[in-house]
Amino acid sequence: GFPMALDEVKLSLLNKFTGGVKGNRVVRSTSSSSGAAWEVQPTVLVAPTGTDDTANIMDAISQIGTGGGSVGFAPGVYKHTGISMSGKNNIALLGMGRPGAGGAVSLMCTNPGVHSFYFQDSQKVLLSGIHFGHTILSNPNIGAVYAANVQWLDVVNISTTTDEPLVLNAPVPTTGSRFGFILSAGILGVWRVRFTRCDFVRNINYGVYMAGSAPEHPVLEISFTDCAIDQNVSAGIGIGDYVQGVYIRSSGIGGNGRGIEIYPNMPNTTFDIFVSDAILDASKEQDILAKDVTSVHLKSNWIASAGVFSGKEVWGIDAQTGLLESWEVKDNYFMGNRGGGMIFGGAHSSFTGNHFNTNGGAASPKVGLRLNPGTVNNFVDGNFFLGHDIGVQDQGTSNDLGRNHGN
Protein backbone atom coordinates (compact mmCIF):
# COMPACT_ATOMS: atom_id res chain seq x y z
CA GLY A 1 0.00 0.00 0.00
CA PHE A 2 0.83 3.64 0.41
CA PRO A 3 2.65 5.16 3.39
CA MET A 4 -0.04 7.67 4.21
CA ALA A 5 -3.81 7.31 4.52
CA LEU A 6 -5.76 8.68 1.54
CA ASP A 7 -7.65 11.30 3.56
CA GLU A 8 -4.37 12.42 5.13
CA VAL A 9 -2.81 12.87 1.68
CA LYS A 10 -5.77 14.94 0.49
CA LEU A 11 -5.75 17.09 3.63
CA SER A 12 -2.01 17.67 3.17
CA LEU A 13 -2.57 18.81 -0.42
CA LEU A 14 -5.48 21.09 0.46
CA ASN A 15 -3.46 22.72 3.23
CA LYS A 16 -0.67 23.52 0.78
CA PHE A 17 -2.78 24.88 -2.08
CA THR A 18 -5.19 27.69 -1.35
CA GLY A 19 -6.63 30.10 -3.88
CA GLY A 20 -6.94 29.61 -7.62
CA VAL A 21 -3.74 28.05 -8.89
CA LYS A 22 -3.31 27.78 -12.67
CA GLY A 23 -0.90 25.35 -14.24
CA ASN A 24 1.50 23.11 -12.32
CA ARG A 25 3.28 23.81 -9.11
CA VAL A 26 5.87 21.62 -7.39
CA VAL A 27 5.76 21.45 -3.61
CA ARG A 28 8.85 21.21 -1.45
CA SER A 29 10.19 17.69 -0.99
CA THR A 30 11.50 18.19 2.56
CA SER A 31 9.90 16.44 5.48
CA SER A 32 7.07 18.10 7.36
CA SER A 33 6.88 18.40 11.13
CA SER A 34 4.62 15.35 11.22
CA GLY A 35 7.34 13.24 9.70
CA ALA A 36 4.84 11.48 7.43
CA ALA A 37 6.59 9.36 4.80
CA TRP A 38 4.57 10.87 1.96
CA GLU A 39 5.91 14.36 2.73
CA VAL A 40 9.46 13.50 1.64
CA GLN A 41 8.27 12.75 -1.88
CA PRO A 42 7.60 15.50 -4.45
CA THR A 43 3.96 16.49 -4.93
CA VAL A 44 2.52 18.44 -7.87
CA LEU A 45 -0.77 20.29 -8.10
CA VAL A 46 -2.46 20.93 -11.43
CA ALA A 47 -5.49 23.17 -12.00
CA PRO A 48 -7.71 23.54 -15.08
CA THR A 49 -6.87 26.30 -17.53
CA GLY A 50 -10.25 26.46 -19.23
CA THR A 51 -8.76 25.43 -22.59
CA ASP A 52 -6.74 22.33 -23.57
CA ASP A 53 -5.11 20.87 -20.44
CA THR A 54 -3.26 18.00 -22.13
CA ALA A 55 0.23 19.49 -21.79
CA ASN A 56 -0.66 20.80 -18.33
CA ILE A 57 -1.51 17.30 -17.04
CA MET A 58 1.29 15.47 -18.85
CA ASP A 59 3.85 17.92 -17.43
CA ALA A 60 2.54 17.33 -13.91
CA ILE A 61 2.88 13.55 -14.29
CA SER A 62 6.37 13.88 -15.80
CA GLN A 63 7.59 15.73 -12.69
CA ILE A 64 7.07 12.61 -10.57
CA GLY A 65 10.44 10.86 -10.53
CA THR A 66 11.57 7.34 -9.75
CA GLY A 67 11.00 7.82 -6.03
CA GLY A 68 7.29 8.29 -6.59
CA GLY A 69 4.91 11.04 -5.52
CA SER A 70 1.45 12.45 -6.08
CA VAL A 71 -0.37 14.63 -8.59
CA GLY A 72 -3.25 16.57 -7.06
CA PHE A 73 -6.04 17.88 -9.28
CA ALA A 74 -7.81 21.03 -8.12
CA PRO A 75 -11.60 20.94 -8.68
CA GLY A 76 -12.81 21.57 -12.20
CA VAL A 77 -13.17 20.14 -15.70
CA TYR A 78 -9.97 19.33 -17.58
CA LYS A 79 -10.38 18.96 -21.35
CA HIS A 80 -7.62 17.05 -23.07
CA THR A 81 -6.80 15.00 -26.16
CA GLY A 82 -5.58 11.89 -24.32
CA ILE A 83 -3.51 11.35 -21.15
CA SER A 84 -0.93 8.57 -20.97
CA MET A 85 1.50 7.30 -18.34
CA SER A 86 4.14 4.58 -18.56
CA GLY A 87 6.68 3.16 -16.14
CA LYS A 88 5.53 5.19 -13.12
CA ASN A 89 5.69 3.46 -9.74
CA ASN A 90 4.47 4.64 -6.34
CA ILE A 91 2.36 7.37 -7.89
CA ALA A 92 -1.02 8.75 -6.86
CA LEU A 93 -3.44 10.79 -8.98
CA LEU A 94 -5.77 12.51 -6.53
CA GLY A 95 -8.93 14.51 -7.20
CA MET A 96 -10.15 16.92 -4.55
CA GLY A 97 -13.72 15.65 -4.35
CA ARG A 98 -15.94 12.67 -5.05
CA PRO A 99 -17.15 12.56 -8.69
CA GLY A 100 -20.70 13.79 -9.04
CA ALA A 101 -20.52 15.99 -5.96
CA GLY A 102 -19.47 19.59 -5.35
CA GLY A 103 -15.79 20.17 -6.02
CA ALA A 104 -15.45 17.21 -8.37
CA VAL A 105 -12.59 16.67 -10.81
CA SER A 106 -13.37 15.58 -14.38
CA LEU A 107 -10.79 14.59 -17.00
CA MET A 108 -12.69 14.70 -20.28
CA CYS A 109 -11.11 13.57 -23.55
CA THR A 110 -12.11 15.41 -26.72
CA ASN A 111 -10.50 12.80 -29.03
CA PRO A 112 -12.85 9.84 -29.69
CA GLY A 113 -10.00 7.64 -30.95
CA VAL A 114 -7.95 7.39 -27.74
CA HIS A 115 -8.58 6.32 -24.16
CA SER A 116 -9.17 9.23 -21.81
CA PHE A 117 -6.43 7.87 -19.52
CA TYR A 118 -4.05 5.13 -20.68
CA PHE A 119 -1.33 3.80 -18.43
CA GLN A 120 0.97 0.78 -18.52
CA ASP A 121 4.02 -0.90 -16.97
CA SER A 122 3.40 0.63 -13.55
CA GLN A 123 3.24 -0.62 -9.96
CA LYS A 124 1.69 0.75 -6.77
CA VAL A 125 -0.63 3.26 -8.40
CA LEU A 126 -3.50 5.05 -6.66
CA LEU A 127 -6.34 6.73 -8.57
CA SER A 128 -8.83 8.59 -6.42
CA GLY A 129 -11.62 11.12 -6.71
CA ILE A 130 -11.56 11.64 -10.49
CA HIS A 131 -14.18 11.32 -13.22
CA PHE A 132 -12.77 10.03 -16.51
CA GLY A 133 -14.69 10.18 -19.77
CA HIS A 134 -15.17 11.55 -23.27
CA THR A 135 -16.99 14.70 -24.33
CA ILE A 136 -18.26 12.90 -27.46
CA LEU A 137 -19.01 9.30 -28.39
CA SER A 138 -15.74 7.37 -28.38
CA ASN A 139 -14.74 4.91 -31.09
CA PRO A 140 -15.29 1.15 -30.61
CA ASN A 141 -12.97 -0.50 -28.07
CA ILE A 142 -12.06 2.86 -26.52
CA GLY A 143 -12.44 3.29 -22.78
CA ALA A 144 -12.40 6.02 -20.18
CA VAL A 145 -9.48 4.25 -18.47
CA TYR A 146 -7.22 1.57 -19.96
CA ALA A 147 -4.65 -0.13 -17.70
CA ALA A 148 -2.14 -2.59 -19.16
CA ASN A 149 0.52 -4.53 -17.31
CA VAL A 150 -0.09 -2.92 -13.91
CA GLN A 151 0.31 -4.35 -10.43
CA TRP A 152 -0.95 -3.16 -7.03
CA LEU A 153 -3.49 -0.66 -8.32
CA ASP A 154 -5.98 1.02 -5.97
CA VAL A 155 -8.99 2.69 -7.64
CA VAL A 156 -11.03 4.70 -5.12
CA ASN A 157 -14.04 6.95 -5.80
CA ILE A 158 -13.46 6.85 -9.55
CA SER A 159 -16.36 7.49 -11.93
CA THR A 160 -16.90 6.90 -15.64
CA THR A 161 -20.54 7.93 -15.63
CA THR A 162 -22.04 9.59 -18.69
CA ASP A 163 -23.63 13.01 -18.31
CA GLU A 164 -26.88 11.70 -19.83
CA PRO A 165 -29.78 11.29 -17.38
CA LEU A 166 -30.20 8.03 -15.47
CA VAL A 167 -33.70 6.66 -15.99
CA LEU A 168 -35.17 3.17 -15.95
CA ASN A 169 -34.84 1.33 -19.27
CA ALA A 170 -32.82 4.23 -20.67
CA PRO A 171 -31.88 4.40 -24.36
CA VAL A 172 -28.31 3.77 -25.54
CA PRO A 173 -26.11 6.78 -24.70
CA THR A 174 -25.07 9.00 -27.59
CA THR A 175 -22.03 10.50 -25.86
CA GLY A 176 -19.27 9.23 -23.60
CA SER A 177 -16.84 6.33 -23.41
CA ARG A 178 -17.64 2.92 -24.89
CA PHE A 179 -15.96 1.18 -21.95
CA GLY A 180 -15.60 2.44 -18.40
CA PHE A 181 -12.43 0.70 -17.22
CA ILE A 182 -10.38 -1.87 -19.15
CA LEU A 183 -7.81 -4.17 -17.53
CA SER A 184 -5.47 -5.73 -20.10
CA ALA A 185 -2.72 -8.14 -19.13
CA GLY A 186 0.01 -6.74 -21.39
CA ILE A 187 3.31 -8.62 -21.38
CA LEU A 188 3.44 -9.40 -17.65
CA GLY A 189 -0.14 -9.43 -16.45
CA VAL A 190 -2.40 -7.45 -14.13
CA TRP A 191 -2.30 -8.22 -10.41
CA ARG A 192 -4.04 -6.98 -7.30
CA VAL A 193 -6.44 -4.29 -8.44
CA ARG A 194 -8.90 -2.97 -5.87
CA PHE A 195 -11.98 -0.96 -6.90
CA THR A 196 -13.59 0.77 -3.91
CA ARG A 197 -16.66 3.04 -3.97
CA CYS A 198 -16.46 3.52 -7.73
CA ASP A 199 -19.27 4.38 -10.17
CA PHE A 200 -19.25 2.73 -13.61
CA VAL A 201 -22.56 3.81 -15.10
CA ARG A 202 -24.08 4.20 -18.61
CA ASN A 203 -21.05 3.10 -20.63
CA ILE A 204 -21.94 1.86 -24.10
CA ASN A 205 -20.13 -1.48 -23.84
CA TYR A 206 -18.93 -2.64 -20.41
CA GLY A 207 -18.61 -0.80 -17.14
CA VAL A 208 -15.45 -2.81 -16.42
CA TYR A 209 -13.86 -5.37 -18.73
CA MET A 210 -10.85 -7.58 -17.95
CA ALA A 211 -8.93 -10.27 -19.82
CA GLY A 212 -5.52 -11.86 -19.80
CA SER A 213 -3.63 -12.85 -22.93
CA ALA A 214 -1.86 -16.13 -22.05
CA PRO A 215 -1.28 -18.47 -19.08
CA GLU A 216 1.82 -16.46 -18.16
CA HIS A 217 -0.01 -13.14 -18.70
CA PRO A 218 -3.15 -13.42 -16.55
CA VAL A 219 -5.39 -11.02 -14.69
CA LEU A 220 -5.20 -11.92 -10.99
CA GLU A 221 -6.88 -10.84 -7.75
CA ILE A 222 -9.36 -8.15 -8.76
CA SER A 223 -11.82 -6.87 -6.15
CA PHE A 224 -14.88 -4.62 -6.16
CA THR A 225 -16.25 -3.24 -2.88
CA ASP A 226 -19.19 -0.83 -2.48
CA CYS A 227 -19.30 -0.01 -6.20
CA ALA A 228 -22.24 1.12 -8.36
CA ILE A 229 -22.16 -0.61 -11.76
CA ASP A 230 -25.40 0.31 -13.49
CA GLN A 231 -27.03 0.73 -16.92
CA ASN A 232 -24.02 -0.29 -19.00
CA VAL A 233 -25.32 -1.37 -22.38
CA SER A 234 -23.42 -4.65 -22.90
CA ALA A 235 -22.72 -5.66 -19.30
CA GLY A 236 -21.74 -4.23 -15.96
CA ILE A 237 -18.66 -6.44 -15.54
CA GLY A 238 -17.15 -8.49 -18.37
CA ILE A 239 -14.66 -11.26 -17.64
CA GLY A 240 -12.71 -12.89 -20.46
CA ASP A 241 -9.75 -15.27 -20.80
CA TYR A 242 -7.11 -15.99 -18.15
CA VAL A 243 -8.84 -14.23 -15.27
CA GLN A 244 -8.29 -15.84 -11.90
CA GLY A 245 -9.56 -14.47 -8.63
CA VAL A 246 -12.35 -11.84 -8.90
CA TYR A 247 -14.06 -10.72 -5.69
CA ILE A 248 -17.27 -8.66 -5.93
CA ARG A 249 -18.66 -7.58 -2.58
CA SER A 250 -21.46 -5.31 -1.40
CA SER A 251 -21.97 -3.71 -4.81
CA GLY A 252 -25.02 -2.74 -6.84
CA ILE A 253 -25.15 -4.08 -10.40
CA GLY A 254 -28.46 -3.06 -11.93
CA GLY A 255 -30.17 -2.22 -15.20
CA ASN A 256 -27.28 -3.39 -17.39
CA GLY A 257 -27.48 -5.38 -20.61
CA ARG A 258 -26.15 -8.20 -18.46
CA GLY A 259 -25.04 -7.84 -14.87
CA ILE A 260 -21.92 -10.02 -14.92
CA GLU A 261 -20.75 -11.73 -18.09
CA ILE A 262 -18.13 -14.45 -17.64
CA TYR A 263 -17.44 -15.52 -21.18
CA PRO A 264 -13.88 -16.63 -21.96
CA ASN A 265 -13.06 -17.74 -25.50
CA MET A 266 -10.39 -20.18 -24.28
CA PRO A 267 -11.78 -22.99 -22.08
CA ASN A 268 -10.24 -23.82 -18.71
CA THR A 269 -8.55 -20.42 -18.37
CA THR A 270 -10.87 -18.52 -16.00
CA PHE A 271 -11.78 -19.57 -12.46
CA ASP A 272 -12.23 -18.46 -8.84
CA ILE A 273 -15.04 -15.91 -9.12
CA PHE A 274 -16.60 -14.77 -5.83
CA VAL A 275 -19.77 -12.63 -5.60
CA SER A 276 -21.28 -11.88 -2.20
CA ASP A 277 -23.80 -9.46 -0.67
CA ALA A 278 -24.42 -7.87 -4.06
CA ILE A 279 -27.60 -6.68 -5.75
CA LEU A 280 -27.94 -7.93 -9.35
CA ASP A 281 -31.18 -6.57 -10.66
CA ALA A 282 -33.21 -5.63 -13.74
CA SER A 283 -30.77 -6.69 -16.44
CA LYS A 284 -32.16 -6.69 -19.97
CA GLU A 285 -30.54 -10.10 -20.44
CA GLN A 286 -29.30 -12.38 -17.65
CA ASP A 287 -28.13 -11.00 -14.33
CA ILE A 288 -25.24 -13.48 -14.64
CA LEU A 289 -24.24 -15.26 -17.87
CA ALA A 290 -21.36 -17.72 -17.62
CA LYS A 291 -19.62 -20.39 -19.65
CA ASP A 292 -16.38 -22.36 -19.25
CA VAL A 293 -15.69 -21.16 -15.73
CA THR A 294 -14.96 -23.26 -12.66
CA SER A 295 -14.89 -22.46 -8.95
CA VAL A 296 -17.65 -19.86 -8.85
CA HIS A 297 -18.98 -18.86 -5.42
CA LEU A 298 -22.25 -16.91 -5.17
CA LYS A 299 -23.35 -16.12 -1.62
CA SER A 300 -26.08 -13.93 -0.15
CA ASN A 301 -26.90 -12.03 -3.33
CA TRP A 302 -30.17 -10.54 -4.60
CA ILE A 303 -30.72 -11.80 -8.17
CA ALA A 304 -33.91 -10.37 -9.58
CA SER A 305 -36.01 -9.08 -12.48
CA ALA A 306 -33.83 -10.32 -15.37
CA GLY A 307 -35.71 -9.64 -18.62
CA VAL A 308 -38.52 -7.67 -17.00
CA PHE A 309 -37.78 -4.35 -18.73
CA SER A 310 -36.69 -5.89 -22.04
CA GLY A 311 -39.54 -8.40 -22.20
CA LYS A 312 -37.06 -11.23 -22.85
CA GLU A 313 -37.52 -14.70 -21.45
CA VAL A 314 -34.14 -14.99 -19.70
CA TRP A 315 -32.93 -16.67 -16.53
CA GLY A 316 -31.54 -14.80 -13.54
CA ILE A 317 -28.38 -16.94 -13.80
CA ASP A 318 -27.62 -18.77 -17.04
CA ALA A 319 -24.66 -21.18 -16.88
CA GLN A 320 -25.16 -23.91 -19.48
CA THR A 321 -22.15 -24.11 -21.79
CA GLY A 322 -18.64 -25.52 -21.47
CA LEU A 323 -16.84 -26.77 -18.38
CA LEU A 324 -18.82 -25.69 -15.31
CA GLU A 325 -17.66 -27.34 -12.10
CA SER A 326 -17.23 -26.56 -8.42
CA TRP A 327 -19.93 -23.91 -8.24
CA GLU A 328 -21.21 -22.94 -4.80
CA VAL A 329 -24.59 -21.18 -4.86
CA LYS A 330 -25.65 -20.44 -1.32
CA ASP A 331 -28.15 -18.22 0.51
CA ASN A 332 -29.14 -16.18 -2.53
CA TYR A 333 -32.58 -14.73 -3.25
CA PHE A 334 -33.93 -15.23 -6.77
CA MET A 335 -36.96 -13.04 -7.41
CA GLY A 336 -39.11 -12.40 -10.48
CA ASN A 337 -36.65 -13.39 -13.20
CA ARG A 338 -38.68 -13.64 -16.39
CA GLY A 339 -37.36 -16.95 -17.77
CA GLY A 340 -36.68 -18.71 -14.47
CA GLY A 341 -34.42 -18.47 -11.44
CA MET A 342 -31.28 -20.36 -12.50
CA ILE A 343 -30.38 -22.81 -15.25
CA PHE A 344 -27.21 -24.91 -14.88
CA GLY A 345 -25.39 -27.32 -17.15
CA GLY A 346 -22.41 -28.39 -15.04
CA ALA A 347 -21.30 -30.90 -12.43
CA HIS A 348 -19.95 -31.31 -8.91
CA SER A 349 -21.64 -28.18 -7.60
CA SER A 350 -23.88 -27.30 -4.67
CA PHE A 351 -27.08 -25.24 -4.35
CA THR A 352 -28.06 -24.73 -0.72
CA GLY A 353 -30.18 -22.36 1.33
CA ASN A 354 -31.41 -20.29 -1.60
CA HIS A 355 -34.84 -18.70 -1.89
CA PHE A 356 -36.64 -18.79 -5.26
CA ASN A 357 -39.72 -16.59 -5.45
CA THR A 358 -42.07 -16.35 -8.47
CA ASN A 359 -39.49 -16.76 -11.21
CA GLY A 360 -40.44 -17.71 -14.77
CA GLY A 361 -43.30 -15.29 -15.23
CA ALA A 362 -43.04 -15.56 -19.04
CA ALA A 363 -42.18 -19.27 -19.11
CA SER A 364 -44.23 -22.44 -19.09
CA PRO A 365 -43.65 -24.26 -16.84
CA LYS A 366 -42.40 -21.74 -14.31
CA VAL A 367 -39.15 -23.19 -12.89
CA GLY A 368 -37.03 -22.09 -9.98
CA LEU A 369 -33.88 -24.14 -10.65
CA ARG A 370 -33.25 -26.29 -13.73
CA LEU A 371 -30.43 -28.85 -14.00
CA ASN A 372 -29.95 -29.54 -17.69
CA PRO A 373 -29.46 -32.94 -19.34
CA GLY A 374 -25.88 -34.01 -18.81
CA THR A 375 -25.58 -32.50 -15.35
CA VAL A 376 -24.15 -34.95 -12.82
CA ASN A 377 -23.27 -35.15 -9.14
CA ASN A 378 -24.75 -31.84 -8.08
CA PHE A 379 -26.13 -31.34 -4.57
CA VAL A 380 -29.40 -29.40 -4.11
CA ASP A 381 -30.58 -29.10 -0.52
CA GLY A 382 -32.35 -26.75 1.86
CA ASN A 383 -33.74 -24.42 -0.81
CA PHE A 384 -37.13 -22.70 -0.63
CA PHE A 385 -39.48 -22.34 -3.61
CA LEU A 386 -42.58 -20.18 -3.88
CA GLY A 387 -44.80 -19.45 -6.87
CA HIS A 388 -43.37 -21.93 -9.41
CA ASP A 389 -44.87 -24.85 -11.31
CA ILE A 390 -41.66 -26.80 -10.63
CA GLY A 391 -39.21 -25.91 -7.90
CA VAL A 392 -36.26 -28.07 -9.02
CA GLN A 393 -36.39 -29.49 -12.54
CA ASP A 394 -33.75 -32.23 -12.59
CA GLN A 395 -33.01 -33.37 -16.14
CA GLY A 396 -29.56 -34.77 -15.32
CA THR A 397 -28.28 -37.96 -13.72
CA SER A 398 -26.98 -38.74 -10.23
CA ASN A 399 -27.89 -35.31 -8.87
CA ASP A 400 -28.72 -35.39 -5.15
CA LEU A 401 -31.84 -33.28 -4.54
CA GLY A 402 -31.74 -33.59 -0.78
CA ARG A 403 -34.57 -31.93 1.09
CA ASN A 404 -36.06 -28.78 -0.44
CA HIS A 405 -39.22 -26.90 0.45
CA GLY A 406 -42.15 -25.61 -1.57
CA ASN A 407 -43.02 -26.23 -5.20
Side-chain angles (χ1 to χ4, degrees):
F2 294 89
M4 198 171 176
L6 176 61
D7 290 341
E8 202 174 347
V9 173
K10 287 187 174 181
L11 180 60
S12 173
L13 285 169
L14 287 170
N15 286 339
K16 287 186 176 67
F17 299 106
T18 57
V21 179
K22 294 294 184 181
N24 302 328
R25 179 177 173 184
V26 180
V27 186
R28 69 186 188 278
S29 60
T30 56
S31 178
S32 68
S33 58
S34 68
W38 196 272
E39 294 295 331
V40 302
Q41 299 174 354
T43 299
V44 181
L45 178 74
V46 60
T49 62
T51 57
D52 184 348
D53 286 303
T54 307
N56 201 20
I57 298 169
M58 292 297 294
D59 181 59
I61 293 173
S62 71
Q63 293 184 50
I64 305 300
T66 56
S70 58
V71 176
F73 290 86
V77 177
Y78 298 73
K79 291 185 179 180
H80 64 86
T81 56
I83 303 302
S84 62
M85 183 177 81
S86 181
K88 293 288 187 181
N89 300 328
N90 297 293
I91 185 171
L93 272 59
L94 306 173
M96 295 299 126
R98 176 163 179 133
V105 173
S106 294
L107 271 60
M108 302 300 292
C109 184
T110 59
N111 182 350
V114 300
H115 307 292
S116 182
F117 178 48
Y118 175 93
F119 67 108
Q120 64 178 356
D121 303 333
S122 300
Q123 295 185 351
K124 295 185 178 178
V125 176
L126 169 63
L127 306 178
S128 177
I130 301 172
H131 169 80
F132 294 96
H134 286 79
T135 59
I136 56 178
L137 181 64
S138 76
N139 293 350
N141 302 319
I142 296 297
V145 182
Y146 189 106
N149 188 27
V150 296
Q151 296 84 39
W152 296 287
L153 168 63
D154 277 297
V155 185
V156 183
N157 288 345
I158 292 298
S159 167
T160 65
T161 304
T162 182
D163 290 332
E164 297 188 15
L166 300 177
V167 296
L168 285 176
N169 204 24
V172 174
T174 57
T175 61
S177 307
R178 301 267 184 174
F179 288 78
F181 207 110
I182 301 172
L183 293 173
S184 177
I187 60 172
L188 290 178
V190 171
W191 316 329
R192 298 180 184 175
V193 179
R194 296 183 296 188
F195 295 97
T196 307
R197 297 188 302 279
C198 294
D199 297 335
F200 302 109
V201 180
R202 297 277 286 147
N203 296 283
I204 298 168
N205 287 89
Y206 295 85
V208 179
Y209 183 81
M210 66 193 78
S213 56
E216 63 272 23
H217 306 147
V219 173
L220 302 175
E221 298 182 34
I222 312 300
S223 69
F224 299 82
T225 305
D226 295 330
C227 293
I229 307 172
D230 300 322
Q231 293 194 10
N232 299 284
V233 177
S234 293
I237 299 174
I239 300 173
D241 297 326
Y242 303 106
V243 178
Q244 296 144 20
V246 177
Y247 306 86
I248 303 168
R249 310 179 184 95
S250 305
S251 294
I253 307 174
N256 300 282
R258 292 188 176 100
I260 302 172
E261 183 180 284
I262 312 169
Y263 227 68
N265 293 314
M266 300 292 293
N268 306 324
T269 62
T270 294
F271 50 84
D272 292 344
I273 311 297
F274 298 79
V275 185
S276 63
D277 300 300
I279 297 174
L280 293 108
D281 189 72
S283 300
K284 291 181 173 60
E285 301 281 348
Q286 303 88 349
D287 286 332
I288 299 178
L289 175 67
K291 78 175 185 74
D292 277 317
V293 55
T294 60
S295 184
V296 175
H297 306 268
L298 309 174
K299 296 183 179 181
S300 302
N301 301 293
W302 172 269
I303 301 162
S305 303
V308 169
F309 289 103
S310 64
K312 295 184 177 181
E313 190 174 323
V314 292
W315 296 77
I317 298 179
D318 186 328
Q320 301 186 67
T321 307
L323 181 64
L324 301 160
E325 292 189 351
S326 301
W327 281 52
E328 180 187 19
V329 183
K330 183 177 181 180
D331 297 334
N332 301 284
Y333 201 100
F334 294 80
M335 174 74 179
N337 297 289
R338 202 162 186 270
M342 178 172 180
I343 185 166
F344 188 69
H348 307 291
S349 297
S350 65
F351 306 83
T352 60
N354 301 287
H355 289 251
F356 294 81
N357 191 338
T358 58
N359 297 281
S364 181
K366 296 175 176 59
V367 178
L369 171 64
R370 176 180 293 167
L371 302 177
N372 276 353
T375 55
V376 61
N377 296 332
N378 294 295
F379 180 59
V380 183
D381 184 64
N383 300 285
F384 297 84
F385 298 90
L386 175 67
H388 304 88
D389 298 319
I390 303 173
V392 183
Q393 188 176 42
D394 181 11
Q395 299 176 333
T397 57
S398 302
N399 294 312
D400 183 352
L401 298 191
R403 183 178 179 183
N404 298 282
H405 310 277
N407 48 26

